[in-house]
Amino acid sequence: MKVHVRLLVFSAILLVTTQLNTAIADINPMKLGATYNADRSAINFSVYSANAERIDLYLYNNSYGADDVSNFSLHQSGNGVWEAVVPVADLKAKGITGTVFYGYRAWGPNWPYVENWTKGSTAGFKSDVDANGNRFNPNKLLYDPYSLEISHDPLNPNNSDAGQFASGASNRAVDSGSVAPKGIVLQPVTGNIGVKPLRAQKDDIIYEVNVRGLTKQDPGIPEAYRGTYKGASLKASYLSSLGITAIELLPVQESQNQANNVIPNSNAGQNYWGYATEAYFAPDRYYAFDQSPGGPTAEFQNMVKSFHDAGIKVYIDVVYNHTGEGGNWQRSNGSTDSATASLLSWRGLDNQTYYELTADKQYYYDNTGTGGNYNTYQPVAQNLIVDSLSHWANTLGIDGFRFDLASVLGNSCLNGAYQATAPNCPFGGYNFNAADPNVAINRILRELTIRPAAGGNGVDLFAEPWAIGGNSYQVGGFPVGWSEWNGDFRDTMRRAQNKLGMDSVPLGRLTSVWAGSSGHFQWNRQPWNSTNFIDVHDGLTLKDVYSCNGANNSQAWPWGPSDGGTSNNLSWDQGSNPSDQLRAARTGMGFILLSAGTPLIQGGDEFLRTIQCNNNAYNLDSPGNWLNYELSGDQVNFQNFTRRAIAFRKAHPVLSPATWGDENVISWWQPNGASVSGNYWVDSSNHSIAYTLNGRASGDKNALYIAYNGWSQNVNFVLPKPPTGKQWYRVSDTCNWNNGPDTWANPGNEQLLGSAGYQYGLCGQALLVLISK
């Protein structure tokens, strides 16, 4: 891979004092955005539009509720770039002496510029959208797609009227200037992000959590810091003590969430998860204690440094498949209105460039269920993806990225190629094609430095390998350099535990996902490219997987109501038996931490967090959805179980293989002590199996024996011969009898069992973990 040093140039200068451990290609070669020159005597404003006929810059002293104080026309500098250089002296002469807030107004073929246009008029108007898909409207102030921070969300406690930002007959003449979000011109960013961990991904344990939910009701965090980046930074020591090596934050790029608490004790209009990005370079100010200009960026960097100082990587969940502008609006009768759409930024600057349009250019192709695909195949639209990723990795210190609905980034269809007969677009406007060098997932590989398998400089990439429709389900289909969330691991393990007698889970399938999902990944990648999880934010929590007979999303606040959510939860309440629920949860956590691959647990799973069977709590910025640290005895015991299981995984690298093993590393056993034969694999009545791991190749002197009884009744397991001179000791048995603080034994406290031929009775639906000593 060709490696470049990626340093962000702010009009010939960027004062970067952060320690950069990741080498990445040149950020933003088109020099888009608003940046001070070297001596800070002028600001260069630069924005892209291939189809605009005129773009004006509007400058503001205040971010909200005030008129502009000055405006300038931009000139075209080539390649679709529009720019203006504004001397700071001119700004001061206009009364702008503090923070510079700015936005753009754009004219184009569907709304040409005329001299008599004034804000709030329709002078020059031809159509809301023309035959080529242009949606220019100068009455809508547009924030810069390259803004490093934006001033506020469109909807906020002061404004609940989304129509002010919309096109269409009812709204096209409404001027949004005073209420629209503005870009903020920041001084060069100079924060310290600490020393990035160089750990190999195979040795990571990932903890997925929402920034706000992590500390919002944590009594150990000062109240003013709860729910903020500052508060999250104070959890670094806790996560380190748990054994977590990478925290994965739900979206932290600016999104619509300032209106979350407009109506107290209500989920009305709430966006808790954050999957509606408004600004790809900007840390979400809703999560900042210091919300003054520059505050969110500095606070975010400080948070990253706190995690880095604890040896913890910081991953963020990014959403490049769609934007916060959404798609076409719906009419009152439920039909889609081609003329009406929100114009906040990209759409008003260059609809054709930034979005994938349908054949008639009036609507949006949609693989996301959120209104419209981002045009991930378009080179300039791709620039924004790579430039922003580079900014987060270099300037803000991020160690890796999880890509929401990442199959959309593998779309090889260009705008205009929508016929079902088109050779490259068999699914209309969508076709996942990892072999195409021009799709976004391959460009990201070329332009970002990917962390080597053995560890070192670079970023880790994780795909959510599915979307909606066509050939978008692509578990195992991403190219080398990508890891993937393994939905097959989740579904197989849930079926094995919760659907006995209902769904068939052949032992061959169970053991395959247990050992790294070779059926998906062995052809082009390694076991650690499988991100193994039982649950994530998008669905039931770990406790609820084993305590709920499906979803219950219709509850009152703070547990609901929430719409949507899958109907195929593969969950079961274990006959409403609390002891059985605890046993099942221990077994599930054991599966995650004893499987080959990169384990991922959802925040709060370590102490059996519940959201009362809600499986789509995206809209609940509520105490029911925040982590609750007031723990019962059973929760403390489970937290202890999880901490010790993580430590055990770290102590035995054979559980985290770098490459695919062979018969000298792993051996499979029937409960009767015989090696597994072909007949045993295929007999659907078999539900119990064990394996031994010989860790000598990884430097582990001890062998491991791990058994799973997937049957409902007790099964006797006859132990195989341990290594010469050693005997088998019990580390953990997840059965009901072993519920308590020591379900997972500390090193040195394991119980001696015996040697070859020892018979161990294991209860139904439980895991047994032994070590040779």
Side-chain angles (χ1 to χ4, degrees), residues 472-694:
S472 62
Y473 189 79
Q474 287 291 330
V475 174
F478 277 67
V480 176
W482 284 87
S483 296
E484 300 174 27
W485 276 23
N486 190 347
D488 190 26
F489 180 95
R490 172 199 60 204
D491 295 346
T492 298
M493 294 307 187
R494 287 192 185 189
R495 282 192 171 94
Q497 289 188 264
N498 291 335
K499 296 299 178 181
L500 182 65
M502 300 173 64
D503 289 0
S504 175
V505 181
L507 284 176
R509 180 175 179 182
L510 175 68
T511 56
S512 174
V513 299
W514 206 349
S517 295
S518 58
H520 292 301
F521 297 101
Q522 191 167 10
W523 70 280
N524 72 337
R525 282 169 292 166
Q526 301 299 337
W528 51 271
N529 292 123
S530 172
T531 305
N532 296 335
F533 61 94
I534 295 289
D535 67 293
V536 288
H537 71 276
D538 191 1
L540 300 171
T541 65
L542 184 78
K543 173 177 172 52
D544 291 350
V545 167
Y546 306 111
S547 302
C548 303
N549 289 324
N552 180 10
N553 295 358
S554 60
Q555 306 168 72
W557 191 91
W559 307 107
S562 302
D563 59 357
T566 181
S567 59
N568 187 27
N569 294 280
L570 303 174
S571 62
W572 177 40
D573 72 353
Q574 319 299 314
S576 299
N577 185 315
S579 295
D580 287 347
Q581 292 170 356
L582 288 170
R583 180 255 306 144
R586 288 194 295 266
T587 300
M589 182 64 79
F591 274 138
I592 298 170
L593 294 172
L594 296 171
S595 295
T598 303
L600 180 150
I601 65 175
Q602 185 182 178
D605 278 352
E606 75 274 21
F607 51 71
L608 295 174
R609 167 179 172 252
T610 179
I611 48 176
Q612 303 294 328
C613 306
N614 189 324
N615 76 347
N616 199 40
Y618 72 96
N619 62 332
L620 296 177
D621 193 352
S622 74
N625 214 5
W626 304 328
L627 275 63
N628 185 344
Y629 294 92
E630 296 180 1
L631 307 183
S632 68
D634 283 337
Q635 287 180 293
V636 171
N637 290 341
F638 195 86
Q639 186 181 51
N640 200 42
F641 174 89
T642 302
R643 180 180 287 111
R644 293 182 184 181
I646 290 173
F648 186 83
R649 180 182 181 89
K650 289 182 173 180
H652 299 285
V654 70
L655 291 168
S656 307
T659 59
W660 298 101
D662 56 27
E663 293 180 358
N664 296 320
V665 175
I666 187 169
S667 301
W668 294 97
W669 305 97
Q670 299 179 45
N672 63 10
S675 296
V676 175
S677 66
N679 289 334
Y680 193 81
W681 288 118
V682 298
D683 188 339
S684 60
S685 65
N686 295 325
H687 301 288
S688 300
I689 197 165
Y691 66 93
T692 52
L693 289 170
N694 178 345

Side-chain angles (χ1 to χ4, degrees), residues 176-262:
S176 68
S178 65
V179 298
K182 281 84 175 173
I184 297 173
V185 184
L186 294 186
Q187 299 286 350
V189 179
T190 59
N192 182 3
I193 52 86
V195 179
K196 289 187 173 185
L198 304 181
R199 183 185 312 105
Q201 183 192 308
K202 77 177 187 65
D203 296 323
D204 279 322
I205 294 94
I206 303 172
Y207 188 89
E208 185 210 32
V209 72
N210 179 282
V211 168
R212 185 166 164 84
L214 177 61
T215 64
K216 185 60 180 171
Q217 55 185 356
D218 186 344
I221 303 295
E223 186 172 0
Y225 298 152
R226 293 176 193 171
T228 68
Y229 302 127
K230 175 69 173 177
S233 71
L234 300 178
K235 297 298 290 186
S237 60
Y238 165 71
L239 293 180
S240 178
S241 71
L242 190 63
I244 297 301
T245 67
I247 184 171
E248 181 179 303
L249 301 174
L250 266 66
V252 292
Q253 294 167 320
E254 190 73 58
S255 67
Q256 174 64 62
N257 49 25
Q258 270 184 274
N260 280 13
N261 298 312
V262 171

Side-chain angles (χ1 to χ4, degrees), residues 34 36 43-45 56-63 66-74 84-105 119 141-142 177-178 182-185:
Y36 283 90
I43 303 172
N44 184 75
F45 295 90
D56 283 1
L57 166 69
Y58 279 67
L59 299 170
Y60 295 78
N61 240 335
N62 299 290
S63 62
D67 206 355
D68 58 279
V69 297
S70 186
N71 60 81
F72 301 84
S73 290
L74 277 63
V85 177
V86 181
V88 171
D90 289 1
L91 297 177
K92 291 181 178 178
K94 296 289 187 180
I96 302 177
T97 57
T99 302
V100 179
F101 301 99
Y102 72 103
Y104 297 110
R105 297 180 188 269
K119 289 181 288 186
L141 188 79
L142 309 170
S178 65
K182 281 84 175 173
I184 297 173
V185 184

Side-chain angles (χ1 to χ4, degrees), residues 195-513:
V195 179
K196 289 187 173 185
L198 304 181
R199 183 185 312 105
Q201 183 192 308
K202 77 177 187 65
D203 296 323
D204 279 322
I205 294 94
I206 303 172
Y207 188 89
E208 185 210 32
V209 72
N210 179 282
V211 168
R212 185 166 164 84
L214 177 61
T215 64
K216 185 60 180 171
Q217 55 185 356
D218 186 344
I221 303 295
E223 186 172 0
Y225 298 152
R226 293 176 193 171
T228 68
Y229 302 127
K230 175 69 173 177
S233 71
L234 300 178
K235 297 298 290 186
S237 60
Y238 165 71
L239 293 180
S240 178
S241 71
L242 190 63
I244 297 301
T245 67
I247 184 171
E248 181 179 303
L249 301 174
L250 266 66
V252 292
Q253 294 167 320
E254 190 73 58
S255 67
Q256 174 64 62
N257 49 25
Q258 270 184 274
N260 280 13
N261 298 312
V262 171
I263 304 175
N265 300 341
S266 169
N267 66 347
Q270 291 194 348
N271 171 30
Y272 177 63
W273 287 348
Y275 290 92
T277 307
E278 292 174 343
Y280 285 104
F281 293 79
D284 197 323
R285 70 181 48 254
Y286 184 61
Y287 300 139
F289 169 70
D290 179 4
Q291 297 189 359
S292 64
T297 297
E299 189 175 324
F300 188 91
Q301 289 177 310
N302 290 335
M303 176 194 69
V304 170
K305 182 180 186 300
S306 295
F307 285 117
H308 285 172
D309 289 349
I312 297 173
K313 295 177 182 176
V314 181
Y315 298 152
I316 62 171
D317 196 331
V318 290
V319 187
Y320 292 107
N321 53 75
H322 70 281
T323 79
E325 285 185 316
N328 297 88
W329 284 33
Q330 301 294 309
R331 299 185 179 93
S332 58
N333 63 6
S335 63
T336 302
D337 180 2
S338 64
T340 305
S342 298
L343 278 68
L344 299 171
S345 179
W346 310 272
R347 180 170 292 131
L349 287 167
D350 200 335
N351 193 46
Q352 296 182 62
T353 292
Y354 288 113
Y355 291 101
E356 186 186 4
L357 309 180
T358 54
D360 60 7
K361 308 295 181 69
Q362 305 299 293
Y363 301 94
Y364 299 92
Y365 201 84
D366 185 6
N367 281 95
T368 69
T370 59
N373 289 3
Y374 186 74
N375 196 2
T376 64
Y377 200 75
Q378 212 283 342
V380 172
Q382 282 185 1
N383 288 349
L384 183 145
I385 295 175
V386 176
D387 292 343
S388 58
L389 290 172
S390 301
H391 176 69
W392 285 91
N394 279 358
T395 305
L396 300 179
I398 293 304
D399 303 284
F401 302 93
R402 180 266 188 188
F403 292 78
D404 178 63
L405 300 182
S407 294
V408 176
L409 279 72
N411 184 9
S412 62
C413 288
L414 283 166
N415 277 347
Y418 301 101
Q419 295 77 19
T421 57
N424 295 322
C425 300
F427 303 101
Y430 178 83
N431 182 42
F432 181 88
N433 183 5
D436 186 336
N438 297 314
V439 295
I441 57 173
N442 286 324
R443 182 168 174 194
I444 289 168
L445 289 176
R446 288 194 302 272
E447 298 204 22
L448 302 190
T449 300
I450 311 305
R451 194 184 314 279
N457 291 322
V459 294
D460 303 314
L461 301 179
F462 300 88
E464 183 184 36
W466 49 76
I468 297 174
N471 61 343
S472 62
Y473 189 79
Q474 287 291 330
V475 174
F478 277 67
V480 176
W482 284 87
S483 296
E484 300 174 27
W485 276 23
N486 190 347
D488 190 26
F489 180 95
R490 172 199 60 204
D491 295 346
T492 298
M493 294 307 187
R494 287 192 185 189
R495 282 192 171 94
Q497 289 188 264
N498 291 335
K499 296 299 178 181
L500 182 65
M502 300 173 64
D503 289 0
S504 175
V505 181
L507 284 176
R509 180 175 179 182
L510 175 68
T511 56
S512 174
V513 299

